[in-house]
Amino acid sequence: MADKSEDMNKKDGNQKKARTFDFMAMFEQARQTAIERTGENISTDITDKDAIKPKDKSGDKNIKIKINKDKGSNDSDTDSSDSSSSEDEKDSKSQSSLVGPPVPARFNPVATNKSGGDNMVGPPIPSVKRTSDDDDDGDDDDDDEEEDMSLEKRIPSSHEIVLKHGVKTVSAMALDPSGARLVTGGYDYDVRLFDFAGMDSSFHSFRNLQPCESHQIKALEYSMTGDTILVVAGNAQAKVLDRDGFTKMECVKGDQYIVDMASTKGHCAMLNSGCWNPKIKEEFLTCANDGTMRLWDVNVAHKHKSIMKPKNKHGRKTIPTTCVFSNDGRYMAAACDDGSIQMWDHNRPFLINVSLVNRDCHMMGSETSCLCFSYDGKTLASRGGDDTLKLWDMRSFKKPLNVVKGLTNYFPMTDCLFSPDDKMVVTGISVKKQEGQGQLIFFERETLSIVNAMDISDSSVVKCLWHPKLNQIVVGSGDGLVKIFYDPNKSNRGAMLCTVKKKRKQKELQVMASKQIITPYALPMFRDSRPTSTRKQEERVRKDPTKSKRPDLPVSGPGTGGRVRERGATLSQYVVQSIVLRKPDPHENDPRGAILRHAEEAETNPYWITPAYKKNQPVPVFREPEEEKKEEDSGPLWKKTKLG
């Protein structure tokens, strides 16, 4: 092939010669270039370490020997010194050709190809250079600070602000994932939206609405993306609102006359609770007094996605009082009024049988108000209506890890939650009116020993939130107040944004009113004339048809506005006048006389019947009346013959 190409080139002198490539030489050149780059990176690392920690000369010699060995076996020690000097000259030339500010001392230059270094414009791309010793020291310092800080000091409670929801119990609260907005709901049917960034120190909500009319709000929750809000009220239809409070979706109501709840399209009794799926943003869960739990899709409002029916130990239906998703979205847990806690696996195709169940979690007949999973997913906390707080291990669900008794609970939605560091459990205590202080109690997770008890208000503590990003605690009480606790040194944004803003001043309209000065001895020309009589005023009122209440004028024409001109203004008057004006009939009560009065006219001027019989029967023949036969009393009544 090469000979043929040479012959062709000889024949056609105008054509260019074909280029030949030596692949082995190219591979060898690439390998040498890579070795040189690695050597340069190692040398720069060594110089940085030498600048931080000086080393012995023997160590430097050893390192230089290793680098020279990596560069190639053909180079000698004398050649290495020459090559290093030549490389320094090349580096100085490349640095002089660079444009822009010099590289900072804490950054390493990015290794580039020597051939392409001259074409670089601007400063090189910085890469952060942190030694492993510095990282270890920083991590150790942070760990030491966290270990030294006690659990009580980790609670952000140095400052507080008060938001007024209403005058009735705050039964539902939710913070969006970013911590920018707070939504509250209560027994007064209202839902209020608070925006921390747009709110000033007056702490007023930017929107107030009643999404479910005259139904108490049971639960509120933001979706995982924060763009929708789930509203669960005392009716049978859950609603999904957008971020500004406008209705986006409403669940359908089921048929209450169907016995099998699986055959209905939705709930047919009062809702108790609801929550979003933490992994699927368009899916949420609700539970109701019809003894079912239903999964819904936001895009499909006319029917539920799937249904679960909790049952007691006798196989009969039981009412779920609260429901929750696990943090990984795998388990759906429900607490029922028979004292049991039941869980379903979301990964299974059919949600019929439970995955985990414990029949004796709380007292039978009590309403378990809250279930909460820990952030690590290993522990479940339950707040019972039997005044207890229990922790359960998901790996052995038969017995509780720890139990706290004597925590009064009067509300079916009293909260319990885990702290963001998973080391504390928080819940509230209910009190009767004017019988004590409602408290928010912090327990240690391992032993459930009390860490701190905060006095909130004179009423019960119902709802509580602890946002992990903001590190702020939001508490809703029975007197309609929402309190937010924070610490400027530990908390971020949230309530701290609106406390520094001054109240907005309302614009006042300045109106100059002319005052009338009355003097007893003023000139007559400046005196106000007082009315001496009311006759003229009464005449004006009389002429006004509205003030004088003038009756309707008679109708002129065929009639307008539903009024008839002929024979009365209305239909009833028309009927009455037509009856009164009608002439009386003398034969009204004598029908025989009314017929015979036309006999003479019929004989003189026959028209209907007589001309028809004029030829065949000119003289009319009438049937003679039969004489009634008198019945002879021939015997008793029971001996008479029966007819028919």
PDB file of all heavy atoms in Angstrom, residues 231-249:
ATOM      1  N   VAL A 231     -55.291  20.666  54.551  1.00  0.00           N
ATOM      2  CA  VAL A 231     -56.199  21.135  55.598  1.00  0.00           C
ATOM      3  C   VAL A 231     -57.153  20.000  55.931  1.00  0.00           C
ATOM      4  O   VAL A 231     -57.911  19.538  55.069  1.00  0.00           O
ATOM      5  CB  VAL A 231     -56.981  22.384  55.146  1.00  0.00           C
ATOM      6  CG1 VAL A 231     -57.911  22.854  56.254  1.00  0.00           C
ATOM      7  CG2 VAL A 231     -56.032  23.489  54.750  1.00  0.00           C
ATOM      8  N   VAL A 232     -57.135  19.559  57.192  1.00  0.00           N
ATOM      9  CA  VAL A 232     -58.031  18.512  57.677  1.00  0.00           C
ATOM     10  C   VAL A 232     -58.918  19.139  58.741  1.00  0.00           C
ATOM     11  O   VAL A 232     -58.431  19.617  59.770  1.00  0.00           O
ATOM     12  CB  VAL A 232     -57.242  17.326  58.258  1.00  0.00           C
ATOM     13  CG1 VAL A 232     -58.196  16.286  58.826  1.00  0.00           C
ATOM     14  CG2 VAL A 232     -56.365  16.702  57.193  1.00  0.00           C
ATOM     15  N   ALA A 233     -60.234  19.164  58.480  1.00  0.00           N
ATOM     16  CA  ALA A 233     -61.190  19.787  59.388  1.00  0.00           C
ATOM     17  C   ALA A 233     -62.175  18.735  59.894  1.00  0.00           C
ATOM     18  O   ALA A 233     -62.009  17.531  59.675  1.00  0.00           O
ATOM     19  CB  ALA A 233     -61.906  20.938  58.690  1.00  0.00           C
ATOM     20  N   GLY A 234     -63.217  19.223  60.573  1.00  0.00           N
ATOM     21  CA  GLY A 234     -64.191  18.312  61.158  1.00  0.00           C
ATOM     22  C   GLY A 234     -65.186  17.749  60.182  1.00  0.00           C
ATOM     23  O   GLY A 234     -66.055  16.967  60.584  1.00  0.00           O
ATOM     24  N   ASN A 235     -65.108  18.092  58.915  1.00  0.00           N
ATOM     25  CA  ASN A 235     -65.995  17.504  57.922  1.00  0.00           C
ATOM     26  C   ASN A 235     -65.363  16.254  57.327  1.00  0.00           C
ATOM     27  O   ASN A 235     -64.320  15.784  57.780  1.00  0.00           O
ATOM     28  CB  ASN A 235     -66.323  18.534  56.832  1.00  0.00           C
ATOM     29  CG  ASN A 235     -65.085  19.053  56.145  1.00  0.00           C
ATOM     30  OD1 ASN A 235     -63.965  18.774  56.568  1.00  0.00           O
ATOM     31  ND2 ASN A 235     -65.266  19.815  55.084  1.00  0.00           N
ATOM     32  N   ALA A 236     -65.985  15.724  56.288  1.00  0.00           N
ATOM     33  CA  ALA A 236     -65.508  14.474  55.686  1.00  0.00           C
ATOM     34  C   ALA A 236     -64.643  14.699  54.460  1.00  0.00           C
ATOM     35  O   ALA A 236     -64.222  13.720  53.831  1.00  0.00           O
ATOM     36  CB  ALA A 236     -66.705  13.598  55.300  1.00  0.00           C
ATOM     37  N   GLN A 237     -64.346  15.950  54.110  1.00  0.00           N
ATOM     38  CA  GLN A 237     -63.607  16.246  52.882  1.00  0.00           C
ATOM     39  C   GLN A 237     -62.371  17.070  53.211  1.00  0.00           C
ATOM     40  O   GLN A 237     -62.483  18.207  53.687  1.00  0.00           O
ATOM     41  CB  GLN A 237     -64.498  17.006  51.892  1.00  0.00           C
ATOM     42  CG  GLN A 237     -65.703  16.204  51.424  1.00  0.00           C
ATOM     43  CD  GLN A 237     -66.643  17.051  50.589  1.00  0.00           C
ATOM     44  OE1 GLN A 237     -67.532  17.708  51.101  1.00  0.00           O
ATOM     45  NE2 GLN A 237     -66.444  17.021  49.279  1.00  0.00           N
ATOM     46  N   ALA A 238     -61.204  16.492  52.971  1.00  0.00           N
ATOM     47  CA  ALA A 238     -59.949  17.219  53.154  1.00  0.00           C
ATOM     48  C   ALA A 238     -59.721  18.147  51.971  1.00  0.00           C
ATOM     49  O   ALA A 238     -60.177  17.883  50.851  1.00  0.00           O
ATOM     50  CB  ALA A 238     -58.785  16.251  53.298  1.00  0.00           C
ATOM     51  N   LYS A 239     -59.008  19.240  52.226  1.00  0.00           N
ATOM     52  CA  LYS A 239     -58.727  20.223  51.185  1.00  0.00           C
ATOM     53  C   LYS A 239     -57.233  20.432  51.051  1.00  0.00           C
ATOM     54  O   LYS A 239     -56.494  20.290  52.023  1.00  0.00           O
ATOM     55  CB  LYS A 239     -59.398  21.565  51.502  1.00  0.00           C
ATOM     56  CG  LYS A 239     -60.844  21.659  51.071  1.00  0.00           C
ATOM     57  CD  LYS A 239     -61.347  23.080  51.202  1.00  0.00           C
ATOM     58  CE  LYS A 239     -62.766  23.195  50.657  1.00  0.00           C
ATOM     59  NZ  LYS A 239     -63.260  24.591  50.716  1.00  0.00           N
ATOM     60  N   VAL A 240     -56.816  20.785  49.841  1.00  0.00           N
ATOM     61  CA  VAL A 240     -55.427  21.131  49.565  1.00  0.00           C
ATOM     62  C   VAL A 240     -55.414  22.563  49.053  1.00  0.00           C
ATOM     63  O   VAL A 240     -56.070  22.881  48.048  1.00  0.00           O
ATOM     64  CB  VAL A 240     -54.802  20.176  48.527  1.00  0.00           C
ATOM     65  CG1 VAL A 240     -53.383  20.609  48.201  1.00  0.00           C
ATOM     66  CG2 VAL A 240     -54.797  18.748  49.056  1.00  0.00           C
ATOM     67  N   LEU A 241     -54.699  23.435  49.762  1.00  0.00           N
ATOM     68  CA  LEU A 241     -54.577  24.841  49.390  1.00  0.00           C
ATOM     69  C   LEU A 241     -53.200  25.101  48.810  1.00  0.00           C
ATOM     70  O   LEU A 241     -52.237  24.386  49.123  1.00  0.00           O
ATOM     71  CB  LEU A 241     -54.795  25.744  50.603  1.00  0.00           C
ATOM     72  CG  LEU A 241     -56.054  25.506  51.449  1.00  0.00           C
ATOM     73  CD1 LEU A 241     -56.085  26.485  52.605  1.00  0.00           C
ATOM     74  CD2 LEU A 241     -57.304  25.634  50.613  1.00  0.00           C
ATOM     75  N   ASP A 242     -53.109  26.114  47.985  1.00  0.00           N
ATOM     76  CA  ASP A 242     -51.805  26.504  47.494  1.00  0.00           C
ATOM     77  C   ASP A 242     -51.102  27.373  48.543  1.00  0.00           C
ATOM     78  O   ASP A 242     -51.599  27.581  49.647  1.00  0.00           O
ATOM     79  CB  ASP A 242     -51.906  27.227  46.144  1.00  0.00           C
ATOM     80  CG  ASP A 242     -52.699  28.521  46.242  1.00  0.00           C
ATOM     81  OD1 ASP A 242     -53.140  28.873  47.349  1.00  0.00           O
ATOM     82  OD2 ASP A 242     -52.881  29.181  45.200  1.00  0.00           O
ATOM     83  N   ARG A 243     -49.955  27.897  48.193  1.00  0.00           N
ATOM     84  CA  ARG A 243     -49.134  28.610  49.174  1.00  0.00           C
ATOM     85  C   ARG A 243     -49.779  29.898  49.674  1.00  0.00           C
ATOM     86  O   ARG A 243     -49.506  30.346  50.790  1.00  0.00           O
ATOM     87  CB  ARG A 243     -47.761  28.916  48.543  1.00  0.00           C
ATOM     88  CG  ARG A 243     -46.719  29.401  49.521  1.00  0.00           C
ATOM     89  CD  ARG A 243     -45.366  29.459  48.870  1.00  0.00           C
ATOM     90  NE  ARG A 243     -44.367  30.015  49.758  1.00  0.00           N
ATOM     91  CZ  ARG A 243     -43.745  29.367  50.707  1.00  0.00           C
ATOM     92  NH1 ARG A 243     -44.031  28.084  50.911  1.00  0.00           N
ATOM     93  NH2 ARG A 243     -42.836  29.957  51.465  1.00  0.00           N
ATOM     94  N   ASP A 244     -50.681  30.470  48.878  1.00  0.00           N
ATOM     95  CA  ASP A 244     -51.345  31.716  49.245  1.00  0.00           C
ATOM     96  C   ASP A 244     -52.727  31.506  49.836  1.00  0.00           C
ATOM     97  O   ASP A 244     -53.431  32.478  50.106  1.00  0.00           O
ATOM     98  CB  ASP A 244     -51.449  32.635  48.026  1.00  0.00           C
ATOM     99  CG  ASP A 244     -50.069  33.075  47.544  1.00  0.00           C
ATOM    100  OD1 ASP A 244     -49.186  33.247  48.402  1.00  0.00           O
ATOM    101  OD2 ASP A 244     -49.877  33.230  46.331  1.00  0.00           O
ATOM    102  N   GLY A 245     -53.157  30.255  50.011  1.00  0.00           N
ATOM    103  CA  GLY A 245     -54.428  29.982  50.664  1.00  0.00           C
ATOM    104  C   GLY A 245     -55.599  29.756  49.746  1.00  0.00           C
ATOM    105  O   GLY A 245     -56.739  29.671  50.233  1.00  0.00           O
ATOM    106  N   PHE A 246     -55.390  29.624  48.449  1.00  0.00           N
ATOM    107  CA  PHE A 246     -56.482  29.386  47.516  1.00  0.00           C
ATOM    108  C   PHE A 246     -56.656  27.877  47.302  1.00  0.00           C
ATOM    109  O   PHE A 246     -55.679  27.124  47.241  1.00  0.00           O
ATOM    110  CB  PHE A 246     -56.218  30.081  46.178  1.00  0.00           C
ATOM    111  CG  PHE A 246     -56.121  31.577  46.304  1.00  0.00           C
ATOM    112  CD1 PHE A 246     -54.879  32.201  46.298  1.00  0.00           C
ATOM    113  CD2 PHE A 246     -57.257  32.345  46.449  1.00  0.00           C
ATOM    114  CE1 PHE A 246     -54.784  33.574  46.422  1.00  0.00           C
ATOM    115  CE2 PHE A 246     -57.172  33.723  46.565  1.00  0.00           C
ATOM    116  CZ  PHE A 246     -55.936  34.340  46.560  1.00  0.00           C
ATOM    117  N   THR A 247     -57.913  27.456  47.164  1.00  0.00           N
ATOM    118  CA  THR A 247     -58.227  26.028  47.065  1.00  0.00           C
ATOM    119  C   THR A 247     -57.672  25.448  45.770  1.00  0.00           C
ATOM    120  O   THR A 247     -57.920  25.969  44.679  1.00  0.00           O
ATOM    121  CB  THR A 247     -59.741  25.809  47.131  1.00  0.00           C
ATOM    122  OG1 THR A 247     -60.244  26.377  48.349  1.00  0.00           O
ATOM    123  CG2 THR A 247     -60.069  24.327  47.104  1.00  0.00           C
ATOM    124  N   LYS A 248     -56.932  24.371  45.915  1.00  0.00           N
ATOM    125  CA  LYS A 248     -56.352  23.682  44.763  1.00  0.00           C
ATOM    126  C   LYS A 248     -57.038  22.354  44.501  1.00  0.00           C
ATOM    127  O   LYS A 248     -57.158  21.929  43.359  1.00  0.00           O
ATOM    128  CB  LYS A 248     -54.857  23.465  45.011  1.00  0.00           C
ATOM    129  CG  LYS A 248     -54.093  22.907  43.834  1.00  0.00           C
ATOM    130  CD  LYS A 248     -52.603  22.804  44.140  1.00  0.00           C
ATOM    131  CE  LYS A 248     -51.836  22.252  42.958  1.00  0.00           C
ATOM    132  NZ  LYS A 248     -50.383  22.139  43.259  1.00  0.00           N
ATOM    133  N   MET A 249     -57.515  21.687  45.542  1.00  0.00           N
ATOM    134  CA  MET A 249     -58.145  20.376  45.385  1.00  0.00           C
ATOM    135  C   MET A 249     -58.992  20.088  46.615  1.00  0.00           C
ATOM    136  O   MET A 249     -58.631  20.473  47.737  1.00  0.00           O
ATOM    137  CB  MET A 249     -57.071  19.299  45.189  1.00  0.00           C
ATOM    138  CG  MET A 249     -57.598  17.874  45.158  1.00  0.00           C
ATOM    139  SD  MET A 249     -57.285  17.003  46.703  1.00  0.00           S
ATOM    140  CE  MET A 249     -57.656  15.322  46.239  1.00  0.00           C
TER     141      MET A 249
END
